[in-house]
Amino acid sequence: MIRRIITLFTLLVVISSCKAQGNNNIKQNKTSERTTEKFDSWTYYTHRENDDYEFKSYLKGKVRQFGGENGSNYFEYAKKDKELFGTYREYYNKSKTLKLIGKYYYNDFESGIWKEYDENGYLIAEYDQDAPYKNYPWGKVEKFVKEELKLDLFDKNVSIRRNVSDKTNIPVWIIHYKVGSNIVFIKINANTGEIIKKGTNPIIK
């Protein structure tokens, strides 16, 4: 009987350890951090056109807000003209309190620590969007694009994305840029920094 209890206890410890390792990019909050930020729905509904509201803010830069219809949440994207990263916010529909906030690269990916709050404003989780790319982080990609490729990151013909491959489970950076009538693409292994694929595709008009 004692042996069975010890075996079950050991199994529970192993399962708990596996769960912790599987969620190493999500940090559950154990503090009393709280936000009082709320969505200004009165201004939004007063000024919006074509289902969204766009304006410029000294603190946030260019702001676009939308949502709120049929019980959906409210959403906001804000980015200053001379910055590569903007801030995303999501607000609960009923309480108007902040639900989710984090940084995003103006082309295509989420970055840094994202925070999620409950409807009472208490922090419930943090998501490290950069965790899979820590061996070859954004700073190295930025340096590669600027110094080796000699590209302007604000050029609309330059696109940078990142994802974790479904087949190999390897995090990769994907760079696209226009050269003449072609699109050049470069894929970088974010674990090693190695260029694993490079090629060109003609622009289809």
Side-chain angles (χ1 to χ4, degrees):
M1 182 67 178
I2 294 175
R3 183 177 295 177
R4 287 185 63 191
I5 292 174
I6 293 174
T7 302
L8 288 171
F9 177 76
T10 303
L11 182 61
L12 286 172
V13 170
V14 171
I15 292 173
S16 298
S17 176
C18 288
K19 285 185 177 180
Q21 291 176 10
N23 294 303
N24 59 358
N25 65 329
I26 301 176
K27 181 181 179 182
Q28 297 298 325
N29 181 58
K30 294 182 180 180
T31 70
S32 58
E33 180 180 333
R34 189 180 188 186
T35 180
T36 58
E37 182 177 338
K38 287 196 172 186
F39 185 75
D40 184 357
S41 58
W42 185 89
T43 302
Y44 170 70
Y45 283 114
T46 301
H47 296 283
R48 74 171 186 168
E49 296 180 2
N50 300 321
D51 297 325
D52 65 2
Y53 173 37
E54 294 186 12
F55 61 96
K56 284 194 174 182
S57 164
Y58 175 76
L59 294 176
K60 296 181 178 181
K62 186 176 180 181
V63 181
R64 178 175 178 253
Q65 297 176 338
F66 57 96
E69 300 301 321
N70 301 315
S72 74
N73 289 339
Y74 298 94
F75 306 92
E76 177 184 286
Y77 287 88
K79 188 181 75 68
K80 294 183 177 181
D81 290 339
K82 295 183 179 181
E83 293 185 1
L84 293 170
F85 291 84
T87 302
Y88 167 88
R89 288 176 170 86
E90 180 179 345
Y91 300 85
Y92 289 100
N93 179 275
K94 291 184 179 180
S95 63
K96 310 296 187 294
T97 54
L98 182 66
K99 177 183 179 181
L100 191 64
I101 184 171
K103 294 290 184 181
Y104 70 94
Y105 181 63
Y106 86 107
N107 263 322
D108 201 23
F109 62 85
E110 299 167 354
S111 176
I113 301 296
W114 282 53
K115 293 186 175 185
E116 183 177 0
Y117 301 87
D118 64 19
E119 289 208 59
N120 293 314
Y122 287 101
L123 182 68
I124 56 176
E126 293 182 346
Y127 309 91
D128 186 356
Q129 308 289 7
D130 295 337
Y133 310 93
K134 61 182 179 181
N135 291 333
Y136 197 79
W138 165 251
K140 291 185 177 181
V141 176
E142 182 180 26
K143 184 177 180 180
F144 173 74
V145 171
K146 286 182 176 180
E147 297 184 5
E148 295 194 37
L149 300 180
K150 307 297 183 183
L151 298 174
D152 179 3
L153 288 168
F154 288 99
D155 187 341
K156 293 182 179 180
N157 292 312
V158 177
S159 172
I160 300 176
R161 297 182 292 110
R162 67 185 189 185
N163 61 54
V164 178
S165 172
D166 293 331
K167 294 182 179 179
T168 63
N169 202 35
I170 295 176
V172 296
W173 292 93
I174 305 169
I175 304 167
H176 289 88
Y177 57 98
K178 181 180 177 182
V179 177
S181 59
N182 294 311
I183 294 293
V184 179
F185 63 90
I186 299 174
K187 184 179 289 188
I188 300 174
N189 184 323
N191 287 332
T192 64
E194 175 190 4
I195 296 177
I196 54 179
K197 193 172 184 180
K198 182 176 182 180
T200 59
N201 291 318
I203 297 175
I204 301 174
K205 296 182 180 180

